[in-house]
Amino acid sequence: MACQIGRNLGARVVGIAGGPAKCRYLRDVIGVERTVDYRGQDVAAALSDIDGGIHAYFDNVGGPMLDAVLPNMAHYGRGAVCGMVAGYDGVPLPGPARFDQVLMRRLRVEGFFIPDVLAAGGVFPAILREWAREGLLSMPFDQSEGIENVLTAYGRMMRGANIGKTIVKAMEGVSATMVDQPAAALLMNPDGMRDFDALVLYDMPGLDFEADAPPAFIDPPPALQVGFRALLEQGKGVLALHHALARWPTWGDYHEWLGGQFLYRQAHVRGQNRLDSGYRHDVAYKAGVIAHPVTVGLPISFAIQDELYLAEVFTDAVEPLLTSDASFTRDHFWSADLAVRGQMFCRDGWNHPPGSSLIGWTKMAINSKLVYLQPGDGVAAYDNPHYRRLVENALRWVANR
């Protein structure tokens, strides 16, 4: 899209892509002037012969790619940074090693997120729609079918195996937009969510696993706390999956709204000192189903394989949806605190009391319908048709659809 916008605005566009097929697509379909294959070429060397240097650079990669571009920028050039995909695999990004070029070439580099342009309303979509009508925009999609292929599609996107926007057509009539942190936090308010019917939570913000003594706890930004509460007061539906039980460990209100908490270390929870939580990967168990609109169409029980948590469940504040026949005792789980300190699959000295077998529930979070489903860690869960039905039911229920 960035290449096409630049081309339509009259710029000479050089596209950087991975592999001959993508480069060929940029030249033959998109119409860029030239391409650089970062998998087969020295990017810095390939860019060095651009007459006059690079005047504008659109960056959603960061890392070594950014280092290859900076020395080839024109004086007073501009860089727009909208992503850092080179660091999305959890490996800390170096540098940028050539940040000195920002000074020496008097560059202006600015980051931006979707919320930064929300105030512009319909200005940009109107321009894009006009270009599309005129045949000046090509909008390819790398589409997969079925929620069971969500993780596969995400992997293709992260490996650069897709051409165009990665989408998964999983539920009839449902359109989803995936937003990474920290941009996602900026959208969690009534204004940012005004065009969406429901919010799905899955990731674990608020935890820094790269800290010297991991995980370091990070407080939620004040704007997020205010915006998320306003969202719940407005009644926006929320579906929280698996890891969402561990996010924002210092935000007590969030966990009260959610109905539980996964602890990475001992903590004071609801007036009591509680040990760190337990985890166990790839547990084969039977899920017991409790009658509710979210569980319509499911059998009274079904087999599933996924990660389980021995965590804090506020059973007095939730309405049960799903239970597990697994044993939620210390001898069947591993300590999360020991795991992050380098002792994976260990429970030495960890005497966690027995926990709740509840793995799915619903509750009202202020004025919002909220559903939490503990299954959802691995491919086996998404391959399970009963789990897929459960997720779809939950999404439609919280969205009042």
Side-chain angles (χ1 to χ4, degrees):
M1 185 66 74
C3 288
Q4 294 178 84
I5 291 173
R7 179 205 63 198
N8 291 346
L9 293 175
R12 295 171 53 211
V13 179
V14 177
I16 304 174
K22 284 191 173 183
C23 287
R24 188 163 50 250
Y25 177 83
L26 287 177
R27 293 192 304 270
D28 298 346
V29 179
I30 301 301
V32 303
E33 183 173 295
R34 56 182 285 198
T35 58
V36 177
D37 180 358
Y38 67 80
R39 291 179 177 169
Q41 295 178 261
D42 181 326
V43 176
L47 296 176
S48 64
D49 64 352
I50 294 177
D51 187 26
I54 301 166
H55 292 271
Y57 175 55
F58 180 84
D59 183 26
N60 60 4
V61 178
M65 186 73 71
L66 180 58
D67 282 331
V69 171
L70 287 176
N72 291 298
M73 293 290 291
H75 279 68
Y76 305 100
R78 293 172 294 168
V81 181
C82 79
M84 291 283 176
V85 71
Y88 289 176
D89 59 0
V91 178
L93 285 174
R98 300 309 310 272
F99 198 70
D100 63 304
Q101 296 299 304
V102 176
L103 170 63
M104 302 306 295
R105 296 175 183 274
R106 290 76 156 177
L107 305 179
R108 178 181 294 180
V109 179
E110 184 174 358
F112 70 94
F113 292 114
I114 293 173
D116 297 340
V117 297
L118 289 177
V123 174
F124 297 122
I127 295 172
L128 297 178
R129 278 196 298 270
E130 183 61 29
W131 281 341
R133 281 194 294 267
E134 295 174 359
L136 296 176
L137 282 183
S138 172
M139 294 175 286
F141 294 98
D142 185 76
Q143 180 171 307
S144 301
E145 299 284 339
I147 194 173
E148 69 273 19
N149 290 313
V150 166
L151 298 182
T152 300
Y154 186 74
R156 283 175 50 80
M157 180 181 71
M158 297 306 290
R159 294 193 309 273
N162 61 303
I163 291 182
K165 184 177 181 65
T166 297
I167 62 173
V168 179
K169 187 177 181 182
M171 304 170 188
E172 190 66 34
V174 175
S175 175
T177 299
M178 187 181 75
V179 185
D180 291 324
Q181 298 291 350
L186 298 175
L187 287 173
M188 291 183 197
N189 56 71
D191 187 49
M193 288 287 297
R194 68 181 182 274
D195 294 326
F196 298 93
D197 297 308
L199 174 66
V200 179
L201 305 175
Y202 184 83
D203 57 355
M204 294 191 296
L207 294 157
D208 181 2
F209 292 98
E210 303 299 327
D212 292 337
F217 291 170
I218 302 169
D219 292 333
L224 171 61
Q225 297 182 54
V226 172
F228 191 71
R229 176 182 285 275
L231 203 60
L232 299 181
E233 291 173 346
Q234 185 188 62
K236 189 72 70 175
V238 179
L239 171 58
L241 302 175
H242 197 64
H243 300 109
L245 202 65
R247 62 185 359 235
W248 300 119
T250 64
W251 192 1
D253 283 346
Y254 167 79
H255 291 284
E256 286 295 331
W257 294 327
L258 187 62
Q261 183 170 8
F262 184 94
L263 303 173
Y264 272 96
R265 65 170 68 112
Q266 184 174 329
H268 200 64
V269 179
R270 304 184 106 195
Q272 296 184 6
N273 288 322
R274 307 297 294 177
L275 288 177
D276 60 291
S277 296
Y279 69 97
R280 186 70 179 256
H281 296 128
D282 298 322
V283 181
Y285 62 92
K286 277 193 175 180
V289 176
I290 298 167
H292 187 276
V294 171
T295 59
V296 167
L298 297 177
I300 59 173
S301 69
F302 61 90
I304 187 170
Q305 180 173 318
D306 202 43
E307 183 180 31
L308 284 176
Y309 290 155
L310 179 60
E312 303 302 310
V313 179
F314 306 155
T315 54
D316 62 323
V318 303
E319 181 179 353
L321 294 175
L322 213 63
T323 60
S324 169
D325 69 349
S327 180
F328 286 78
T329 60
R330 175 258 187 197
D331 291 341
H332 294 85
F333 289 84
W334 312 113
S335 161
D337 180 45
L338 291 174
V340 295
R341 290 195 280 131
Q343 299 179 66
M344 290 292 293
F345 314 120
C346 181
R347 61 175 74 95
D348 295 345
W350 180 68
N351 297 307
H352 199 290
S356 172
S357 62
L358 193 58
I359 58 170
W361 59 80
T362 183
K363 67 188 300 291
M364 292 300 296
I366 309 182
N367 297 318
S368 293
K369 292 179 178 178
L370 181 144
V371 170
Y372 173 74
L373 301 175
Q374 192 181 115
D377 177 61
V379 173
Y382 292 94
D383 279 342
N384 190 305
H386 300 306
Y387 178 70
R388 297 200 300 269
R389 178 65 180 267
L390 185 65
V391 171
E392 180 172 354
N393 285 354
L395 187 57
R396 295 187 188 281
W397 185 73
V398 301
N400 295 314
R401 296 302 180 93

